Amino acid sequence: MSKTITGFSKLNKEAKINWLIQNFFEYAETAKETLKLYWNSDEELQNLHDEFIENTISNYYLPYGIAPNFVINGKDYVIPMAVEESSVVAAASLVAKFWSARGGFKANVISTKKIGQVHFMYKGDFDKLKDYFENIKSTLFKSTEEITKNMRKRGGGILDIELRDKTSELENYYQLHATFETKDSMGANFINSCLETIASTFENDEIQIVMSILSNYVPECLVRAEVSCKVSNLGESDSKLFASKFEQAVKIANVEPHRAVTHNKGIMNGIDAVVIATGNDFRAVEAGAHAYASRSGKYKSLTNCEVKDGIFKFWIEIPLALGTVGGLTSLHPLSKLSLQMLQNPTAEELMQIVAVAGLAQNFAALRALTTTGIQKGHMKMHLSNIVKQLGATDEERNYLLNYFSDKQVSHSAVVDEFERLRK
Ligand code: MEV
């Protein structure tokens, strides 16, 4: 029998859950209990979360941690991170401390231009289209005046609208390529509203609008973050060898896409965690970052390293379309708190902080990979999780952590030793 349903969205939360568990769960009561376990007892707060999306039946938590000791452009920060992966926050904290003793991170925003496009089809003569565009261009701006009024007051707005001929790539395909400055907001709604208004003003009998939408590829909304110190100050037993292997690791990620993807994934561990904690759109950031990593036609590292004249320099350049006002940033109490923790940054400052979190994460990963390997740290965490699952007492836990400090950790080895201990 079909399990499709009409009018599901109209049901209240309880009825939605009942329908779900009756149709898709064997152990209905357990499922219901789990869902309700994650409801917030503060009804107002729960309602707020319910309304973020549609058909909400519970909340899905991510741990919210903080990485202290970041120094960025001479200013102290504690960085909030929402992430489920162990070691990410620990790595950020360690690296923050390490670089705070070596001048901290330097960051600067290179550009803040965002992009949106009206995609359309046109079968006529290009010169005629060009004339039409030139004649209507000022009207296109005028048509958005109501939408752009507040943004213009804040120093933002539509920067330019360009007509682009894309017919060499797709028959009859043209676009209006618009650039925007959205100041402290991420600007997605603003850009999309402007584009839809522009499109309806631009449309005529010969122009068929296909769609109007912002682009998450923002190579001109770019930030750079950097660390540097004397090679001899890198704190390794053989700092010269370390610097050289580290540099090679980055070079490998620049020539080998399989490695580059993992290398950049590690960067995104840091980036996404801060992006989520501050209520920004991590899918947009991810999509844009990976497109930027491929801008040469080959997928490459987002970071770079140079060891020259005894100086180790490591930096990241990444497009980040972020907001510190609007969207979830002011709606979600924890996003608001994250921004307060970061001393209420402007969008440009947040870009710098997020880029630093990515660079720090990559530094931690490459330092571990080129020295001890990452499994040592991961296995420590793995061991601690197994011990927790086994329900070990504090005494048993201390014993097991000590016992495995110089041995290979595997689930079965820990279980065996635990059972032996209990016997
Ligand atoms: C794991 O989440 C991230 C790393 O694989 C990144 C890297 O290999 O550079 C450790």
Side-chain angles (χ1 to χ4, degrees):
M1 217 174 64
S2 163
K3 288 178 178 175
T4 57
I5 177 171
T6 308
F8 181 73
S9 64
K10 306 266 177 344
L11 300 179
N12 67 28
K13 191 151 79 171
E14 195 81 37
K16 280 181 182 133
I17 293 176
N18 287 339
W19 174 84
L20 172 75
I21 61 178
Q22 274 157 22
N23 286 287
F24 291 92
F25 283 88
E26 202 177 331
Y27 303 106
E29 278 317 305
T30 322
K32 198 169 182 171
E33 267 169 33
T34 305
L35 287 170
K36 288 193 169 180
L37 192 62
Y38 284 87
W39 284 6
N40 201 296
S41 55
D42 180 332
E43 210 172 309
E44 207 181 316
L45 190 64
Q46 186 54 57
N47 285 341
L48 178 77
H49 281 74
D50 285 355
E51 281 161 23
F52 285 150
I53 62 161
E54 307 73 36
N55 297 342
T56 309
I57 54 170
S58 191
N59 306 303
Y60 190 98
Y61 294 170
L62 278 181
Y64 179 82
I66 53 168
N69 296 322
F70 272 97
V71 177
I72 306 173
N73 296 336
K75 192 167 158 181
D76 294 316
Y77 288 96
V78 175
I79 298 190
M81 303 178 95
V83 61
E84 87 301 343
E85 186 174 328
S86 59
S87 305
V88 169
V89 179
S93 310
L94 265 175
V95 168
K97 189 83 187 278
F98 178 87
W99 283 107
S100 70
R102 289 162 180 79
F105 293 81
K106 309 268 179 302
N108 66 290
V109 168
I110 296 168
S111 48
T112 57
K113 217 184 259 178
K114 289 169 184 147
I115 292 164
Q117 296 164 322
V118 176
H119 305 272
F120 65 95
M121 311 312 277
Y122 170 78
K123 290 185 180 159
D125 177 51
F126 181 49
D127 285 335
K128 206 174 133 198
L129 179 66
K130 252 188 350 201
D131 286 346
Y132 172 66
F133 171 70
E134 288 307 332
N135 287 332
I136 203 172
K137 192 169 172 180
S138 60
T139 315
L140 296 180
F141 277 97
K142 217 167 260 144
S143 68
T144 61
E145 266 175 5
E146 209 29 56
I147 309 170
T148 59
K149 198 164 69 191
N150 284 334
M151 188 62 86
R152 280 185 283 121
K153 268 191 218 148
R154 290 192 271 137
I158 307 173
L159 302 176
D160 194 16
I161 309 172
E162 242 180 81
L163 171 68
R164 290 193 175 175
D165 179 352
K166 306 293 284 181
T167 53
S168 63
E169 288 155 79
L170 180 68
E171 201 179 2
N172 304 325
Y173 169 38
Y174 296 86
Q175 59 180 224
L176 295 181
H177 182 97
T179 44
F180 300 84
E181 169 56 59
T182 61
K183 302 308 279 185
D184 286 333
S185 67
M186 191 269 194
N189 276 331
F190 170 76
I191 294 174
N192 289 336
S193 299
C194 288
L195 291 171
E196 288 187 6
T197 302
I198 290 170
S200 60
T201 312
F202 189 65
E203 192 163 29
N204 68 20
D205 288 348
E206 288 182 287
I207 289 170
Q208 184 196 52
I209 305 289
V210 178
M211 58 189 164
S212 311
I213 186 77
L214 92 168
S215 171
N216 290 123
Y217 183 43
V218 281
E220 287 186 85
C221 188
L222 202 61
V223 56
R224 187 181 194 281
E226 182 187 303
V227 284
S228 68
C229 72
K230 283 189 183 153
V231 169
S232 56
N233 198 14
L234 278 166
E236 295 290 325
S237 52
D238 187 342
S239 288
K240 217 167 148 192
L241 176 68
F242 167 72
S244 148
K245 280 176 75 172
F246 193 103
E247 189 186 23
Q248 288 308 330
V250 178
K251 282 187 180 160
I252 290 169
N254 262 323
V255 298
E256 166 52 52
H258 281 93
R259 173 56 204 150
V261 171
T262 318
H263 175 102
N264 289 345
K265 187 272 180 188
I267 293 173
M268 300 318 281
N269 279 345
I271 302 256
D272 285 349
V274 191
V275 170
I276 294 173
T278 55
N280 275 281
D281 181 345
F282 69 95
R283 285 87 53 210
V285 166
E286 281 275 346
H290 297 297
Y292 189 72
S294 322
R295 68 194 182 285
S296 66
K298 181 170 176 170
Y299 189 88
K300 289 184 172 188
S301 164
L302 287 162
T303 53
N304 274 293
C305 178
E306 185 187 81
V307 182
K308 212 169 121 191
D309 303 328
I311 302 290
F312 171 89
K313 197 160 100 179
F314 181 49
W315 70 98
I316 185 169
E317 220 179 74
I318 184 168
L320 290 171
L322 301 175
T324 54
V325 297
L328 208 62
T329 56
S330 40
L331 281 180
H332 195 301
L334 276 177
S335 309
K336 229 196 258 183
L337 184 120
S338 294
L339 291 169
Q340 285 162 0
M341 193 186 303
L342 294 170
Q343 302 155 65
N344 295 315
T346 60
E348 290 199 20
E349 281 162 345
L350 185 60
M351 286 167 76
Q352 297 174 14
I353 294 163
V354 172
V356 162
L359 185 69
Q361 210 58 228
N362 193 222
F363 182 81
L366 295 186
R367 183 167 67 172
L369 287 167
T370 56
T371 54
T372 55
I374 57 158
Q375 280 315 84
K376 202 171 161 209
H378 281 190
M379 281 322 206
K380 211 163 142 194
M381 198 61 93
H382 186 47
L383 171 64
S384 161
N385 286 339
I386 300 170
V387 169
K388 218 177 284 163
Q389 272 167 18
L390 291 172
T393 61
D394 283 352
E395 205 179 326
E396 287 165 339
R397 181 188 143 82
N398 289 342
Y399 168 80
L400 289 168
L401 295 191
N402 186 40
Y403 178 81
F404 280 100
S405 62
D406 57 355
K407 294 182 186 61
Q408 186 85 23
V409 177
S410 75
H411 192 269
S412 59
V414 181
V415 173
D416 286 352
E417 187 55 23
F418 178 69
E419 282 173 355
R420 199 195 58 75
L421 185 67
R422 285 226 162 158
K423 260 189 213 147

